[in-house]
Structures are given as C-alpha cells and as structure tokens.
Amino acid sequence: SLVSTAIMCFTRGLDLRKETEDVLCPANCPLWQFPVFGDELYASLSSICGAAIHRGVITNAGGAVRVQTLPGQENYPAVNANGIQSQVLARWASSFSVTRTRNTALEAVGRSASTARPSTGKRPKKPLDKKAGNKDCKADIAFLIDGSYNIGQRRFNLQKNFVGKVAVMLGIGTEGPHVGVVQASEHPKIEFYLKNFTAAKEVLFAIKELGFRGGNSNTGKALKHTAQKFFSLENGARKGIPKIVVVFLDGWPSDDIEEAGIVAREFGVNVFIVSVAKPTTEELGMVQDISFVDKAVCRNNGFFSYQMPTWFGTTKYVKPLVQKLCSHEQMLCSKTCYNSVNIGFLIDGSSSVGDSNFRLVLEFISNVAKAFEISDIGSKVAAVQFTYDQRTEFSFTDYTTKEKVLSAIRNIRYMSGGTATGDAISFTTRNVFGPMKDGPNKNFLVVLTDGQSYDDVRGPAAAAQKAGITVFSVGVAWAPLDDLKDMASEPRESHTFFTREFTGLEQMVPDIIRGICKDFLDSKQ
C-alpha cells in the first residue's frame, strides 16, 4: 500500500520535497490562522490542510490528501468555499493541487503520533512506557489553582482531586508531559516546578499534600508571575516544547487579568481558563471586567476556555480537557519561526538597479514578509535602503500588522546612487536592530545587492553577527560572490544566494523562508 506522511496543520506546499506526495492532515486545524491562496490551483505558500478543506477533499476531521506540485502562475483568485476564505496573490513561483486518496499506511515523519492517526479503523493500543510517559503529548504545563476565600477549603479539595485526575490521564513521564502547580491567592506561591517530579504518582502525592492558603483571588498577579518565572530552563522547562498554563477560577478574579494575559502571550505561554461556577446575574456587578476570560486566554476562539458548572461530578470533564492540552497544533501562542522573528531587509538602491528591477526587489521582500505572522507580539519587519547614504524606510516598531507592512514596502521610493554596503550594514545594526537587542525575537538581516561595494563589508557583517543577527546575502547580476560570502552567516553556503537576473529572485523566496525557520529551530535546540 502507499505510504502517507503525517503533516502539521501549518505545513505548506513549499515544505514538501516530492512532486506527488500522499499526506495525512490532523483533525481540528485552527483554519483561520493558516492562509490559503487561490482556488483549485493553490500557491505553494498555502497551508496544505487548509487548501484540502477549501477544495472539499477533506473536512476539519482531517484525513488523507494527495498533493501534486505544479508550476507557478499569476493571479491566484480569492474564493470562499467550505468555510475558508482563500486570498488573492498576484503571482508565485510554484503551485499545488489537492485530490482525494484512499486511506493509506502511515509514515510518521518526526511528527507526534497524536497528529498522525488515520481517521478510520481501530488502532492497537501500544503499551505506554510508564517511565517515558505519553510521548504523543509533549508539553510543559503549570496548573494555576484557585486558593482564595472564593473557593473555600471544601471546594479546594475537590479542585485538587480534579487536577490529580487530569495529571494522571496526561501520562506524565520523562519524555511526555511535565507538570507543576502554582497556587493563586493574595500572593502567588509556586508549589512545585516542572523538574521536581516526572512520575504521575509522585505528582499525585504532591497535589494531595497542598495546603489551602486563603485570601483574595489575585489571579492576574499569579498568572503574570507564572508566565515570567515558572518556565525557566533552570526550573525544568524544555526548549521547543509548548508552555501551557491552565488557570482554575472559582467565580471571578479580584484583580485585572488582561495585562497578565498579554505578558503570557509575549512569553510564548498558552493560557487556558477553566472557570467553575460563573458569576450569577446578581454577582456581575462585583466583577471588575465581565469579559475577563476572553482577555486572558491565548486566543479568544473558544478553544482555550473551558467551563464546568460545579466542582461536583467532574470526572466526565477530565478527558476533553486532556485532549485539548495534548493538541500540539492548536497551541497558537507557542513561539514558532513564523511568529518570533525580526527580519530587516537592507535594499540596494544604487543606480545600476534601475526602476523596474527595483520593483521586482520590493515584490521579493513582500513575498518573504507575507509568510510571517506580523503583530505587536509576533514577528516584525523593517527596511533600510542604501546608496552611499542610508534611509530607514520603516523600523520594526512602525507597523504591527501584515497589511501595513506590505503597504509600506509597496510605497518605498527608489533612491539611485552609489553602493556602500558595509556602511549600510553598520547603520542597520546600530539604528534598526539596536533598539530590539533585548527583545524576545530572533534577529535576521537579508542584504540584497546587485554590485560591488565601494567599502569593506566583512568587518560590519562580522559585527552584526556578533550582535546576534543572522545574515543572509542575496546577490543579483554583478554582485561578487566573495562579497556575498563575506557578509553571510555560517554555514556560508546556506546563507548565500545568487541569481543572474532580477526575475530569478522570486524562486528564492521559499529557500529564504526555510532558511530563517531552520536557523530559528536550531537556535532553540
């Protein structure tokens, strides 16, 4: 039988290596997050699973899809189908089509088996290696429990029982989920860290031993404290694994939770809120902010909020919560290469480029920027144009939406003049990346030039790299290969690009995006 490769919700056409490939989409992809461009023929920048649902090949329950890589085209149309609105794209270097395939054998290529299950047929229970735990549910989870007078001693004990059941069902182990507990009351108290226990029965015992603290339910204060302090490497957080806080709230918080939600998102923490005994109509007057749940969760899309009517008879709520916590794909606040990078473009505006080629350069930059999730807490883009002089077209903090960034790129005016690339790199390192140096995002500089620089490029590029900036050099026409290699980060081969013609730039877009993502992942290992 044919073999299907299990893919992620956000795997795009350009991530596949073969011309025809059978893939398996997971269930419940958060479709609104992954863009689809075109109809029937999709730009390879599109999410494969998104395109398959758009085309009606599968539903959101996932399933097998055959992907055929095809040449690029112009004018991918925007069409609304099967609950997905595809977007317009002027042109792209490659496309793909999606068709149905019979359910095939499965090849889980470096993916977790939970996303890689065929949607039909029983699968044999594989024995869970007790010590390793549930490898399909790798997550670092903080249970933020309510220890305030709101809940009281009796319900506090029921809450502990529920958390214990969730912890056991998660399948805690050395290679599975790790958990810790923080108690929210007047002042937050970290009861135990991720590194303290890696076996379910130890965790269960530690939860049973927790004492009730009392005081106001300062949940906002506790959430902020947890996001900032709990997930450090020395406290047992693991690199590249989703960070999750499950906030249990009996009633409502006594303090402001919105700011804590923002801090958590900035730290790449996925916040779930389990609310029990929602405020009654009479009590609403005492609640500071009625929409406190929506403002604290990772995304206000229904997935991150969970309600239980009371603390009694909660067993039936355990499994659905565990399934949410193990849905890797849905952890939209985790740091990925798409939402955690700053990309600066350094654009050669010298007279040898010419007006029409300059437009092709801007199109190239737009197509790279388009792949990233640009927002105030996500990825950021900046652009500097240079001749003998430098001009900051826009800095990282000027625009916080993709639309505004793309519009700013379109509006860049061609300067024309000489070529001093070294000076321009120094200027960009100091003025554009300087203010970002302590930020959470990884920094990348893409230098585009079509000729020999009049000054030294090696020193300024080395200084940029020393300041934590990864440099990609993209040369066109007369750009000397030695200069390009001198500017590029190590390994130089994979950070240096060259094309004879400006029209060749668009073929490089997927490679630059893939290169940025590879470097981002390597830095997280």
Side-chain angles (χ1 to χ4, degrees):
S1 78
L2 291 162
V3 173
S4 273
T5 306
I7 60 171
M8 309 288 211
C9 297
F10 49 76
T11 302
R12 298 165 304 172
L14 56 83
D15 297 324
L16 296 187
R17 287 278 181 256
K18 299 178 196 150
E19 208 154 288
T20 304
E21 198 157 344
D22 287 331
V23 300
L24 199 75
C25 288
N28 304 321
C29 286
L31 299 166
W32 47 270
Q33 203 204 11
F34 304 119
V36 174
F37 300 91
D39 180 39
E40 293 187 41
L41 201 62
Y42 299 96
S44 62
L45 193 63
S46 309
S47 147
I48 294 169
C49 300
I53 294 172
H54 184 265
R55 191 85 187 94
V57 172
I58 56 169
T59 65
N60 207 12
V65 178
R66 177 160 293 171
V67 184
Q68 177 87 34
T69 303
L70 298 160
Q73 63 165 37
E74 300 202 339
N75 304 328
Y76 293 90
V79 174
N80 196 328
N82 299 313
I84 294 185
Q85 173 64 58
S86 72
Q87 300 175 42
V88 172
L89 191 59
R91 67 166 193 258
W92 194 252
S94 57
S95 313
F96 65 88
S97 66
V98 284
T99 49
R100 280 194 176 81
T101 158
R102 289 174 307 290
N103 224 342
T104 51
L106 184 66
E107 182 186 51
V109 187
R111 307 280 184 239
S112 75
S114 63
T115 61
R117 268 175 213 150
S119 52
T120 55
K122 291 269 184 287
R123 73 189 229 301
K125 270 264 193 271
K126 57 172 191 283
L128 186 66
D129 171 356
K130 263 287 183 23
K131 202 166 151 37
N134 180 5
K135 295 179 190 173
D136 295 349
C137 181
K138 273 198 157 79
D140 286 343
I141 304 170
F143 292 115
L144 179 52
I145 61 172
D146 189 340
S148 69
Y149 289 136
N150 269 8
I151 192 167
Q153 178 76 58
R154 183 174 178 221
R155 295 205 301 271
F156 180 77
N157 290 338
L158 292 170
Q159 174 184 230
K160 288 200 305 185
N161 290 347
F162 179 75
V163 172
K165 284 176 188 164
V166 171
V168 169
M169 191 174 253
L170 279 168
I172 294 162
T174 50
E175 294 173 56
H178 291 180
V179 306
V181 171
V182 182
Q183 188 173 166
S185 54
E186 197 69 49
H187 304 291
K189 182 183 181 213
I190 295 175
E191 300 284 2
F192 59 89
Y193 286 103
L194 296 162
K195 65 177 180 188
N196 294 134
F197 311 110
T198 53
K201 60 173 192 292
E202 295 172 348
V203 168
L204 208 53
F205 183 74
I207 290 171
K208 284 206 168 83
E209 292 295 293
L210 297 177
F212 173 62
R213 290 171 66 79
N216 282 320
S217 58
N218 289 334
T219 313
K221 187 175 176 183
L223 175 56
K224 194 170 170 183
H225 181 73
T226 308
Q228 290 172 326
K229 302 278 191 285
F230 182 85
F231 293 101
S232 64
L233 295 175
E234 53 271 30
N235 290 331
R238 295 167 289 177
K239 283 187 172 178
I241 284 178
K243 303 180 179 76
I244 299 171
V245 177
V246 184
V247 180
F248 291 94
L249 245 179
D250 189 297
W252 61 90
S254 324
D255 62 350
D256 171 43
I257 200 168
E258 183 177 6
E259 190 204 342
I262 293 168
V263 169
R265 290 190 285 278
E266 283 173 347
F267 275 82
V269 174
N270 297 276
V271 177
F272 283 80
I273 291 209
V274 177
S275 48
V276 185
K278 276 178 26 183
T280 61
T281 322
E282 298 78 63
E283 291 170 333
L284 279 177
M286 299 152 72
V287 182
Q288 257 193 47
D289 185 346
I290 297 167
S291 56
F292 65 84
V293 171
D294 296 345
K295 288 179 179 171
V297 288
C298 161
R299 288 281 195 287
N300 179 16
N301 61 356
F303 181 76
F304 293 93
S305 46
Y306 196 66
Q307 277 173 0
M308 301 195 298
T310 85
W311 286 110
F312 296 95
T314 54
T315 306
K316 63 175 177 288
Y317 294 101
V318 173
K319 192 176 177 185
L321 180 59
V322 168
Q323 283 170 334
K324 281 182 183 242
L325 299 181
C326 291
S327 301
H328 234 160
E329 301 290 351
Q330 305 264 35
M331 300 303 161
L332 304 178
C333 288
S334 295
K335 296 289 188 195
T336 69
C337 70
Y338 299 115
N339 68 15
S340 306
V341 294
N342 298 325
I343 307 171
F345 292 99
L346 184 53
I347 311 159
D348 184 341
S350 62
S351 29
S352 53
V353 175
D355 214 20
S356 59
N357 286 335
F358 190 73
R359 293 286 121 208
L360 292 173
V361 170
L362 297 185
E363 202 166 297
F364 165 81
I365 292 169
S366 291
N367 284 333
V368 173
K370 228 173 234 165
F372 294 89
E373 293 161 34
I374 298 163
S375 75
D376 54 342
I377 58 163
S379 290
K380 293 176 176 60
V381 172
V384 173
Q385 188 178 171
F386 70 96
T387 54
Y388 284 141
D389 275 332
Q390 307 85 29
R391 182 171 80 200
T392 303
E393 301 293 353
F394 55 92
S395 73
F396 287 122
T397 49
D398 285 345
Y399 303 110
T400 54
T401 68
K402 191 180 295 190
E403 291 65 40
K404 285 184 176 157
V405 165
L406 296 177
S407 156
I409 293 170
R410 277 195 300 275
N411 291 326
I412 293 176
R413 296 282 160 261
Y414 174 45
M415 284 166 76
S416 188
T419 313
T421 317
D423 260 0
I425 294 173
S426 301
F427 172 87
T428 308
T429 303
R430 190 172 59 246
N431 299 315
V432 178
F433 285 98
M436 310 304 283
K437 74 170 189 295
D438 298 323
N441 288 2
K442 185 161 170 51
N443 291 319
F444 292 89
L445 175 63
V446 180
V447 182
L448 291 111
T449 180
D450 82 326
Q452 173 92 47
S453 177
Y454 291 103
D455 59 2
D456 167 57
V457 294
R458 188 179 293 178
Q465 290 164 33
K466 199 173 171 196
I469 302 164
T470 301
V471 182
F472 285 87
S473 60
V474 179
V476 189
W478 307 107
L481 204 54
D482 288 350
D483 271 12
L484 296 175
K485 285 196 166 150
D486 282 346
M487 291 188 281
S489 288
E490 296 283 356
R492 296 206 158 133
E493 284 60 44
S494 59
H495 291 81
T496 307
F497 295 86
F498 179 79
T499 172
R500 277 261 156 260
E501 306 288 336
F502 281 89
T503 48
L505 283 171
E506 69 173 318
Q507 267 81 48
M508 294 178 183
V509 171
D511 297 324
I512 297 276
I513 295 166
R514 209 177 279 128
I516 289 172
C517 283
K518 185 181 183 310
D519 287 346
F520 176 84
L521 284 172
D522 290 348
S523 76
K524 293 281 167 241
Q525 295 314 316

